[in-house]
Amino acid sequence: MRSSSATSSGRPRTCHRWSGWTHGDFQLRNILSTPDTADDTDDLEVVVAVIDLERSEPGPAVRDLVRLSDAWAARPDLFEAFLAGYGRPLTAAEQGRLVIDAALDSVSGIAYGAAHSDPELVERGRRTLARLRAEHRAALSPKGDAS
């Protein structure tokens, strides 16, 4: 008997159509690139590299957007540019997973940052929780309003 948590192919179900290996700590400081200073006369090639892969593991692709979402929180144009490069909008399931993973990452970061004297990590966690609360205030209100 096949588990209800598996598809007809036997692969595990996910709420995302893009699953595979995730970086686990995908954020701007782990993306390196050559300067984009080429003009029409240069043959300079821009190279992009991702570093710091020790936390990589199988999981939903949206997991790697958690820390990137901090970079585009106040810049909807960056989020739209990301989606244009990604090739599609996030599904409702991915959007929900992103909120949940961002909240969990924030709490984890606050705890780790407090225990290891890393005020930047604590601040990022608090900032993300405040953003999530503001974005979802109406949904969290018992009356369904923005109170």
Side-chain angles (χ1 to χ4, degrees):
M1 171 185 249
R2 182 173 284 131
S3 164
S4 62
S5 65
T7 65
S8 60
S9 68
R11 291 189 304 259
R13 283 187 201 279
T14 67
C15 62
H16 318 288
R17 70 179 194 172
W18 298 100
S19 290
W21 283 91
T22 61
H23 183 276
D25 188 23
F26 200 55
Q27 54 188 310
L28 296 178
R29 69 180 183 189
N30 289 331
I31 303 170
L32 306 176
S33 67
T34 55
D36 187 12
T37 57
D39 60 28
D40 293 336
T41 62
D42 289 334
D43 288 331
L44 184 66
E45 187 175 330
V46 176
V47 177
V48 177
V50 177
I51 61 168
D52 194 16
L53 297 164
E54 76 271 3
R55 294 181 64 192
S56 63
E57 63 184 6
V62 74
R63 177 177 167 237
D64 277 337
L65 303 184
V66 168
R67 293 192 179 167
L68 287 180
S69 67
D70 192 49
W72 66 56
R75 297 277 313 271
D77 59 316
L78 291 179
F79 182 59
E80 292 303 318
F82 168 80
L83 289 178
Y86 195 56
R88 65 176 180 82
L90 298 180
T91 65
E94 288 171 324
Q95 291 173 12
R97 177 70 188 250
L98 182 57
V99 170
I100 292 167
D101 284 354
L104 292 172
D105 185 70
S106 296
V107 172
S108 174
I110 291 168
Y112 184 90
H116 294 88
S117 301
D118 187 340
E120 182 183 326
L121 191 55
V122 171
E123 175 54 31
R124 184 178 60 79
R126 289 181 176 159
R127 185 176 58 243
T128 300
L129 287 177
R131 177 178 53 83
L132 292 173
R133 182 170 186 242
E135 289 173 357
H136 300 280
R137 175 170 257 140
L140 297 173
S141 170
K143 297 177 184 175
D145 59 13
S147 61

